[in-house]
Amino acid sequence: MVFDLDLIKKVYSELPGKVEAARKAVGRPLTLAEKILYAHLYNPLSRAYDRGKDYVDFAPDRVAMQDATAQMALLQFMTCGRDKVAVPSTVHCDHLIQAKVGALIDLKTAIDTNKEVYDFLASISNKYGIGFWKPGAGIIHQVVLENYAFPGGMMIGTDSHTPNAGGLGMVAIGVGGADAVDVMAGLPWELKMPKLIGVKLTGKMNGWTSAKDIILWVAGQLTVKGGTGAIVEYFGEGADSLSATGKATICNMGAEIGATCSLFGYDSKMGAYLEGTGREEVAALADQVIEHLRPDADVYANPAKYYDQVLELNLSELEPYVNGPFTPDLATPVSKMKEAVASNGWPAKLEVALIGSCTNSSYEDISRSASIVKDAVSKGLKANSEFTITPGSELVRYTIERDGFIKEFESVGGVVLANACGPCIGQWARHIDDPNRKNTIITSFNRNFAKRNDGLASTHAFVASPELVTAMAIAGTIAFNPITDTITNNKGEAVKLAEPSGYEMPPKGFEVDDPGYQEPAKDGSGVQVKVSPESTRLQLLAPFAGWEGTDLKGLKLLIKAKGKCTTDHISMAGPWLKFRGHLDNISNNMLIGAVNFFNEKTDSVKNQLTGEYGAVPATQRAYKAAGIGSVVVGDENYGEGSSREHAAMEPRHLGVRAILVRSFARIHETNLKKQGMLALTFADKADYDKVQEDDNIDIVGLTSFAPGVQLTVVLNHKDGSSDSIKVNHTYNEQQIEWFKAGGALNVIRRQFAN
């Protein structure tokens, strides 16, 4: 089945003219990202836009939502006054399935436990014309790649790893739910014109090296914020040599460097994947406009003229990498891993090895990992660590079962989990004897922040390719290099693992019994969406109050967060996922993972009304009950990580008025703006040090709030002294209206009410 074929035909029929018009406006050859961006302007092209400066309105082709974020996005959408979504949209049930025993039991438990939420999502999707993928159908990004992504398209998704679709040449960007509401309502979607980072790939990979190692290397080069505000575009002969799913792995994990998205130009590998997943018509259409689905020739010849930054990597010389622990950009070549383990005191013993997830769950990934297992068994080896396998979709799972790979994994003690996110997002009931004991796991996932996978600060989580994770599972240690090291088998012999081998696409084709898709009703007007007032899982939303029209005086400092403060620190996942549709209940996890600068503790802040220390949410609720607003102060790259807008909605709901930090991650800053919050940065980053625990804070200049004009923050200290500091913001006129109205959704409601 080919979804949205008429839409794709329309995009391709208009693409040549739009690209030529953009080339004339810009006055030079174009990168692929520029072609797609200019071809998706909401309004007719009037001029060239400055990268990193101009806000631009876009018209994405589609929207994708996973079940944890879809709840809040759709609760917002149902209040905006539309009968049906304006663009093709889908919901994917992948986040609420906890990995505990194995696929069948875990899926059944999830369906029983989350019935209320799944029924809500199914009914609201049915009502508003949204495609619904049931629990067990697969992880959103893999399902999108298999069914919806197409070269030259543009989509947004309510998950930070939406850029996975860049593996099929699509500009696919992770956003918060309020952004999704804009597009589903038929309104323009705003984005600052991204800068462009070019990555030239030469040579060809071999041996133990895989596509995963490319992005692990890039992460080491650019760090977790090096791609912020930029699209990363891969090109060169090395790029064309990668499979479509290998390209998707690279684009997926580009979220870990803060990139807006990543993408590759259309080539024969993408065409083969489209054909292999039943989309021959899309491949044929793309072939007809291939020159517009790749950068112009001079971009290849002189990349430094067209990209803001260029990296170059010879794939023939690349070796496998292991990144971590605690951050996805600490990159160590496997040849240096043994030395790094010893010098850093990381636990060498590998307790759990996990492959799969949205990042590495393709047929190619699974077949190459299975080849390692098969070779190990033939040499008298077994897994010396716990070993789990997470297929990315039912299409992949059914096919790998047919081809015998699941039996291969089970032969060494591997456990196949449900087609869901599971341990990658903290949905893992891990079995461990002592949760405080330092221990090591390694995954082929994308993120490895402290507590990310199992909720344990003691867990050292590393990220590598599925091949390397599988080899280390056999060895039982992360201080292992399969290229050079041997393992002792059951006969006492020292044996060496053979290099992995596999297939980009299944030789006998993909096969599936029930993919898990529910088509929406043609007319949803009679469909009822029910939310019980007594529910602890779902809560209808009330509009946030608008700005009172004055400067903000007498705000309390809620917390001064020290160091890394990701969206996982601000709004944890794991057991809290069950409250993603209930704003008041999930607000009880607000900032409980952030480290308080003043006492080095988590979830312990001073209540200025009582002088006592208590939980962050409880302290903020006390301020709200007293009618007092507050300020959260943070460090660099605040809000790094997931696109979850709950990290913005919770502070808004509980009465926090402003977030003042050294710097923001892109998605989180936008989410704060959408919810009517003040997202401010220190003009002088050293002013972070001036904030004291008992400060009362004034924000001055709001009555003349304007783009590019600094505001003033006055820190009134307990001793009677004060510091007046300048703060910056990136609000444009429209975003200032969101602030004044009390949130972007209030503006949308007014538009549809008129």
Side-chain angles (χ1 to χ4, degrees):
M1 177 180 181
V2 180
F3 291 95
D4 310 319
L5 187 58
D6 288 342
L7 165 69
I8 296 170
K9 286 179 178 178
K10 182 174 185 293
V11 170
Y12 286 162
S13 68
E14 296 175 352
L15 190 60
K18 288 183 175 181
V19 169
E20 183 55 34
R23 200 179 282 120
K24 287 180 180 178
V26 175
R28 56 167 172 76
L30 298 175
T31 65
L32 174 59
E34 290 173 315
K35 291 181 180 183
I36 299 174
L37 291 171
Y38 277 103
H40 285 85
L41 296 177
Y42 188 85
N43 298 306
L45 175 63
S46 57
R47 64 179 179 87
Y49 294 101
D50 288 340
R51 298 179 197 160
K53 294 182 180 178
D54 289 335
Y55 282 96
V56 184
D57 286 340
F58 291 102
D61 299 311
R62 65 175 309 105
V63 173
M65 297 165 280
Q66 39 94 334
D67 50 355
T69 52
Q71 295 171 63
M72 197 58 71
L74 293 177
L75 284 166
Q76 292 177 85
F77 178 78
M78 69 187 291
T79 70
C80 78
R82 277 197 69 105
D83 296 329
K84 192 173 184 179
V85 290
V87 302
S89 304
T90 52
V91 167
H92 304 260
C93 295
D94 61 358
H95 271 56
L96 300 178
I97 303 169
Q98 187 183 49
K100 189 173 185 179
V101 179
L104 293 177
I105 294 175
D106 292 347
L107 180 58
K108 183 180 184 305
T109 300
I111 291 173
D112 292 342
T113 303
N114 303 306
K115 184 179 187 303
E116 177 185 15
V117 173
Y118 292 148
D119 287 349
F120 164 73
L121 291 173
S123 63
I124 198 168
S125 296
N126 202 25
K127 182 174 184 65
Y128 292 110
I130 298 168
F132 181 72
W133 291 82
K134 303 172 188 175
I139 305 173
I140 176 173
H141 312 303
Q142 184 70 22
V143 173
V144 165
L145 196 73
E146 293 167 356
N147 294 278
Y148 299 110
F150 66 95
M154 184 180 194
M155 70 174 285
I156 61 170
T158 60
D159 190 282
S160 55
H161 295 104
T162 299
N164 190 82
L168 277 179
M170 192 174 205
V171 165
I173 301 174
V175 300
D179 281 1
V181 171
D182 283 350
V183 178
M184 290 190 292
L187 300 174
W189 175 63
E190 183 187 69
L191 178 72
K192 186 178 285 186
M193 196 68 169
K195 292 186 176 182
L196 299 177
I197 298 173
V199 181
K200 183 178 182 180
L201 302 179
T202 62
K204 193 170 184 178
M205 291 185 304
N206 56 76
W208 282 90
T209 310
S210 75
K212 180 70 161 229
D213 299 305
I214 297 172
I215 186 58
L216 294 178
W217 178 86
V218 170
Q221 298 294 307
L222 292 177
T223 77
V224 290
K225 62 177 184 175
T228 302
I231 290 178
V232 182
E233 187 170 313
Y234 294 83
F235 62 95
E237 62 181 10
D240 291 342
S241 73
L242 303 173
S243 67
T245 52
K247 292 176 171 73
T249 289
I250 294 167
C251 294
N252 176 300
M253 204 175 155
E256 301 342 303
I257 58 172
T260 302
C261 68
S262 306
L263 77 161
F264 287 77
Y266 179 67
D267 58 20
S268 61
K269 298 282 191 178
M270 292 187 192
Y273 185 78
L274 287 167
E275 292 170 0
T277 49
R279 292 173 285 173
E280 296 88 351
E281 293 164 285
V282 178
L285 290 168
D287 287 339
Q288 294 172 18
V289 291
I290 187 169
E291 66 182 286
H292 306 299
L293 300 174
R294 293 174 67 85
D296 286 338
D298 198 53
V299 175
Y300 278 124
N302 301 288
K305 288 171 56 179
Y306 301 99
Y307 297 102
D308 298 288
Q309 182 180 353
V310 178
L311 301 179
E312 187 166 342
L313 175 62
N314 184 344
L315 300 184
S316 303
E317 299 173 357
L318 180 67
E319 67 172 300
Y321 271 78
V322 180
N323 286 27
F326 307 130
T327 185
D329 59 355
L330 180 57
T332 304
V334 71
S335 62
K336 305 287 186 186
M337 195 62 188
K338 196 173 299 183
E339 176 187 328
V341 169
S343 62
N344 289 288
W346 299 330
K349 179 186 177 184
L350 179 59
E351 304 207 3
V352 193
L354 308 98
I355 65 170
S357 86
C358 68
T359 325
N360 278 108
S361 55
S362 67
Y363 188 89
E364 180 180 27
D365 293 324
I366 299 297
S367 66
R368 282 172 63 86
S369 295
S371 78
I372 298 168
V373 170
K374 185 175 182 179
D375 176 64
V377 170
S378 74
K379 293 173 177 173
L381 299 171
K382 61 179 179 60
N384 281 297
S385 307
E386 288 186 45
F387 186 31
T388 72
I389 302 92
T390 303
S393 68
E394 179 59 13
L395 182 73
V396 168
R397 190 213 63 79
Y398 192 97
T399 305
I400 65 171
E401 182 177 45
R402 178 202 68 190
D403 293 348
F405 296 147
I406 288 180
K407 285 186 178 178
E408 297 280 7
F409 291 125
E410 291 176 342
S411 72
V412 293
V415 176
V416 177
L417 302 176
N419 313 323
C421 300
C424 184
I425 59 163
Q427 281 284 58
W428 182 20
R430 185 181 171 191
H431 315 287
I432 187 169
D433 56 346
D434 178 4
N436 297 311
R437 175 173 53 79
K438 284 175 63 175
N439 71 96
T440 289
I441 67 172
I442 190 166
T443 80
S444 70
F445 306 162
N446 40 42
R447 249 170 221 156
N448 62 339
F449 305 138
K451 303 184 181 182
R452 168 75 178 183
N453 303 119
D454 59 8
L456 305 178
S458 55
T459 296
H460 293 57
F462 295 84
V463 176
S465 68
E467 296 92 330
L468 209 57
V469 172
T470 303
M472 288 181 172
I474 303 297
T477 174
I478 57 165
F480 175 71
N481 181 357
I483 301 170
T484 59
D485 297 349
T486 59
I487 309 172
T488 302
N489 69 6
N490 55 12
K491 297 178 182 178
E493 302 166 333
V495 297
K496 193 175 174 184
L497 294 173
E499 292 179 351
S501 62
Y503 306 91
E504 291 183 8
M505 302 286 285
K508 293 187 287 186
F510 283 109
E511 191 175 343
V512 68
D513 183 17
D514 176 11
Y517 176 68
Q518 173 185 295
E519 188 174 359
K522 292 285 189 290
D523 178 5
S525 59
V527 176
Q528 293 295 313
V529 178
K530 295 182 180 179
V531 176
S532 168
E534 287 78 40
S535 175
T536 61
R537 300 286 303 270
L538 298 164
Q539 180 187 46
L540 295 177
L541 295 174
F544 290 131
W547 173 55
E548 48 272 76
T550 62
D551 289 337
L552 302 180
K553 302 287 186 71
L555 306 176
K556 302 293 186 184
L557 174 70
L558 177 61
I559 186 172
K560 180 178 176 180
K562 181 180 180 180
K564 189 183 282 286
C565 192
T566 72
T567 48
D568 281 290
H569 295 88
I570 305 167
S571 176
M572 287 184 178
W576 291 94
L577 282 171
K578 61 179 174 286
F579 297 125
R580 283 284 179 87
H582 197 293
L583 181 55
D584 193 57
N585 283 346
I586 199 169
S587 293
N588 288 323
N589 80 358
M590 185 190 73
L591 284 159
I592 63 176
V595 176
N596 182 358
F597 178 91
F598 298 105
N599 61 10
E600 301 282 334
K601 295 180 180 180
T602 58
D603 202 22
S604 175
V605 294
K606 188 174 184 179
N607 182 332
Q608 292 190 46
L609 300 179
T610 65
E612 298 176 351
Y613 285 84
V616 184
T619 302
Q620 181 54 39
R621 287 186 186 276
Y623 292 154
K624 182 178 182 180
I628 299 170
S630 66
V631 175
V632 170
V633 172
D635 214 319
E636 296 280 10
N637 208 29
Y638 183 89
E640 170 191 344
S642 169
S643 68
R644 69 190 64 148
E645 65 184 333
H646 300 77
M649 294 186 77
E650 292 173 31
R652 180 72 167 99
H653 172 65
L654 292 184
V656 176
R657 301 303 300 270
I659 311 291
L660 172 60
V661 301
R662 282 176 163 153
S663 66
F664 282 107
R666 174 190 64 85
I667 299 176
H668 187 62
E669 181 180 20
T670 301
N671 285 346
L672 290 168
K673 291 177 179 179
K674 286 277 184 176
Q675 301 303 333
M677 293 279 286
L678 284 173
L680 309 173
T681 57
F682 293 100
D684 180 354
K685 292 184 178 183
D687 286 342
Y688 169 90
D689 297 322
K690 294 178 179 177
V691 178
Q692 298 178 19
E693 189 171 32
D694 293 293
D695 280 351
N696 283 303
I697 301 170
D698 302 332
I699 301 176
V700 180
L702 291 174
T703 54
S704 54
F705 196 8
V709 179
Q710 291 180 321
L711 298 173
T712 299
V713 167
V714 182
L715 306 171
N716 299 295
H717 306 309
K718 189 176 182 180
D719 64 4
S721 65
S722 66
D723 282 299
S724 182
I725 62 175
K726 293 296 183 183
V727 297
N728 297 330
H729 65 84
T730 60
Y731 288 75
N732 60 24
E733 293 285 3
Q734 176 176 280
Q735 293 165 348
I736 290 171
E737 284 306 306
W738 297 343
F739 167 73
K740 291 179 177 178
L745 194 56
N746 290 345
V747 176
I748 293 174
R749 288 191 189 99
R750 287 204 301 254
Q751 288 176 282
F752 283 105
N754 294 334

